[in-house]
Amino acid sequence: MPSVLPDGEPMPDDGALPPRALEGAGERPLGFYLHVPYCATRCGYCDFNTYTASELRGTGGVLASRDNYAEQVVEEIRLARKVLGDDPRPVRTVFVGGGTPTLLAAGDLVRMLGAIRDEFGLADDAEVTTEANPESVDPAYLGELREGGFNRISFGMQSARQHVLKVLDRTHTPGRPEACVGEARAAGFEHVNLDLIYGTPGESDDDWRASLEAAIGAGPDHVSAYALIVEEGTQLARRIRRGEVPMTDDDVHADRYLIADSVLAEAGFEWYEVSNWATSEAGRCFHNELYWRGADWWGAGPGAHSHVGGVRWWNVKHPGAYAAALAAGRSPGAGREILADEDRRVERILLELRLREGVELSILKPAGLAAAGAPCRTAPRPRVVRGGAGRPDPAGRLLADAVVRDLVD
Ligand SMILES: C[S@@+](CC[C@H](N)C(=O)[O-])C[C@H]1O[C@@H](n2cnc3c(N)ncnc32)[C@H](O)[C@@H]1O
Ligand code: SF4
């Protein structure tokens, strides 16, 4: 969740949606994202909407405290129930992200999930994920989460090399994320993800291979690998400007991506989105697929974004402002935009082009169709795959931005 909020029209105090947003809702899956905006320390590369204790001191008083955070999120889930009205859909996915969700007591995460279960009901096959920092969990904590209904967990591993973790300001030791996978499996988690970052200044190809191999060896059924983005305003950007560490390099990123794809494929992981690989369909992250396929999701928590039936809105950013809005009985929404049909079409192309299944031909206009070259017309739903005509290969995936410009015409 990026920390800069867009402009938009104001959100009504009661958070009500235009009736059109709820039309046909029963046919779309519904997910919840619960944001936890706290971290023990801030990693120098991270621009997410998260706060350390010292960053919060004096800015939101007791309201911004993490002690009563779960209760605030429960309040927003109750608001969601009112706004979505008689919507009969049980929730298909819940994803608790951060920040560091596992800085909260396991019971707090279970309580927030319980509110979704009470207000909406959970689908029988609901996917319930939390992100976790490797240094912040132990077997008892993981057992409590599993017992409370979480069935998927995503650990921020980033790298297996100490010198890379140091540049990233990560506080866990090499080997700890891999041990976490074993602890999560022992606790009964069906699905486990490891997040990796490539292209960190000072990382070599060999370091990256070692990270991939360590991740695979730990036995997750999902791996996400992201190119390190140097976000403006971060400590990492300042260090690069001062010449303390070298700038990241696009060509290096491209090479590392190709290494990731081949090492993961050899180990039985299939890519299904540009940055995501899974050992089977069941191992894919269905919650992320809701985002990529333009389904409905409610994002609770400071700065969280939501989307229901073509209406997108976002909450106030600061934990103090968030708590204050809920305490006053107001929606924490800061603004919203009602997407025009053409906006939704372009967005669908942007997102679907990242997916293995590609973009459905039926949403392209004649110019976009012509640019698509020779798409796969024999598929059950004719589509253009990433990289243009019939090129779902890794090199094609790297060309996405150029392809997308032609397809949206
Ligand atoms: C924001 S973190 C939240 C979860 C948890 N606190 C952690 O750090 O693992 C989610 C993931 O975003 C990715 N991420 C955050 N900032 C990034 C950046 N500047 N470049 C690339 N990946 C980034 C990391 O891989 C991280 O695992
Ligand atoms: S622990 Fe995760 S969310 Fe927190 S600062 Fe580091 S990358 Fe960002």
Side-chain angles (χ1 to χ4, degrees):
M1 179 184 315
S3 65
V4 179
L5 298 181
D7 297 327
E9 63 175 56
M11 189 78 181
D13 271 357
D14 62 0
L17 292 172
R20 210 187 96 179
L22 297 174
E23 278 170 20
E27 288 142 41
R28 303 187 295 264
L30 172 65
F32 263 83
Y33 171 76
L34 309 180
H35 187 63
V36 178
Y38 306 109
C39 284
T41 57
R42 179 177 288 274
C43 307
Y45 61 91
C46 180
D47 182 36
F48 277 54
N49 190 34
T50 186
Y51 303 81
T52 62
S54 67
E55 285 169 346
L56 278 180
R57 204 162 294 134
T59 58
V62 71
L63 282 177
S65 146
R66 64 184 197 228
D67 296 341
N68 54 8
Y69 184 68
E71 195 43 51
Q72 294 162 25
V73 171
V74 168
E75 209 43 60
E76 190 180 348
I77 293 165
R78 291 187 187 130
L79 171 75
R81 174 77 274 180
K82 283 191 207 129
V83 169
L84 297 178
D86 296 332
D87 189 335
R89 290 175 286 180
V91 168
R92 177 66 181 77
T93 66
V94 179
F95 192 103
V96 186
T100 306
T102 44
L103 266 189
L104 298 185
D108 281 351
L109 304 191
V110 170
R111 197 143 67 89
M112 297 192 287
L113 175 61
I116 294 175
R117 196 184 283 115
D118 292 348
E119 297 293 333
F120 290 86
L122 283 174
D124 291 341
D125 57 351
E127 174 193 277
V128 183
T129 307
T130 186
E131 290 184 331
N133 283 37
E135 69 284 1
S136 64
V137 296
D138 61 20
Y141 188 99
L142 294 170
E144 216 179 312
L145 287 183
R146 182 67 196 95
E147 185 94 340
F150 284 79
N151 53 26
R152 186 173 184 278
I153 190 156
S154 171
F155 294 106
M157 172 173 173
Q158 322 311 353
S159 172
R161 293 292 204 220
Q162 179 57 44
H163 73 97
V164 177
L165 292 173
K166 188 160 185 286
V167 173
L168 294 174
D169 296 324
R170 299 297 297 199
T171 54
H172 64 261
T173 47
R176 178 63 201 142
E178 298 92 303
C180 284
V181 177
E183 290 172 12
R185 293 292 192 198
F189 278 87
E190 285 97 327
H191 301 297
V192 184
N193 171 58
L194 290 173
D195 271 355
L196 294 172
I197 287 183
Y198 56 88
T200 300
E203 179 196 61
S204 66
D205 283 357
D206 280 352
D207 290 332
W208 178 230
R209 281 182 192 282
S211 295
L212 288 162
E213 273 152 23
I216 291 164
D221 63 346
H222 191 287
V223 170
S224 302
Y226 303 109
L228 178 67
I229 300 169
V230 179
E231 303 280 4
E232 253 329 293
T234 59
Q235 182 65 13
L236 178 65
R238 287 190 286 279
R239 291 182 68 198
I240 289 173
R241 227 179 0 258
R242 290 198 295 262
E244 290 167 21
V245 285
M247 181 56 187
T248 54
D249 180 316
D250 286 350
D251 290 337
V252 168
H253 279 171
D255 290 347
R256 299 267 157 83
Y257 182 81
L258 298 178
I259 292 173
D261 194 63
S262 84
V263 172
L264 288 165
E266 212 161 289
F269 287 78
E270 195 173 71
W271 80 280
Y272 69 101
E273 195 270 350
V274 180
S275 305
N276 290 281
W277 290 259
T279 52
S280 69
E281 263 204 55
R284 293 181 175 195
C285 177
F286 194 71
H287 182 80
N288 280 340
E289 293 201 308
L290 293 191
Y291 298 150
W292 300 326
R293 296 189 185 283
D296 289 351
W297 73 89
W298 188 293
H305 287 230
S306 303
H307 172 266
V308 173
V311 180
R312 188 162 42 212
W313 71 95
W314 46 92
N315 284 348
V316 289
K317 198 178 138 189
H318 195 276
Y322 175 75
L326 286 166
R330 273 185 284 113
S331 156
R336 73 179 184 190
E337 55 188 358
I338 298 171
L339 301 171
D341 288 346
E342 178 60 7
D343 296 332
R344 294 182 80 181
R345 188 187 75 89
V346 169
E347 205 159 277
R348 244 188 95 178
I349 295 172
L350 291 171
L351 292 169
E352 289 185 7
L353 201 59
R354 297 181 62 86
L355 301 175
R356 185 178 196 96
E357 284 77 16
V359 182
E360 242 186 272
L361 287 194
S362 62
I363 64 170
L364 299 182
K365 292 180 177 170
L369 267 178
C376 178
R377 289 176 191 279
T378 53
R381 289 153 77 194
R383 61 184 193 256
V384 55
V385 290
R386 197 168 176 78
R391 288 192 55 200
D393 54 79
R397 275 174 259 156
L398 291 167
L399 297 173
D401 292 344
V403 174
V404 103
R405 276 193 291 276
D406 297 335
L407 291 185
V408 296
D409 284 346

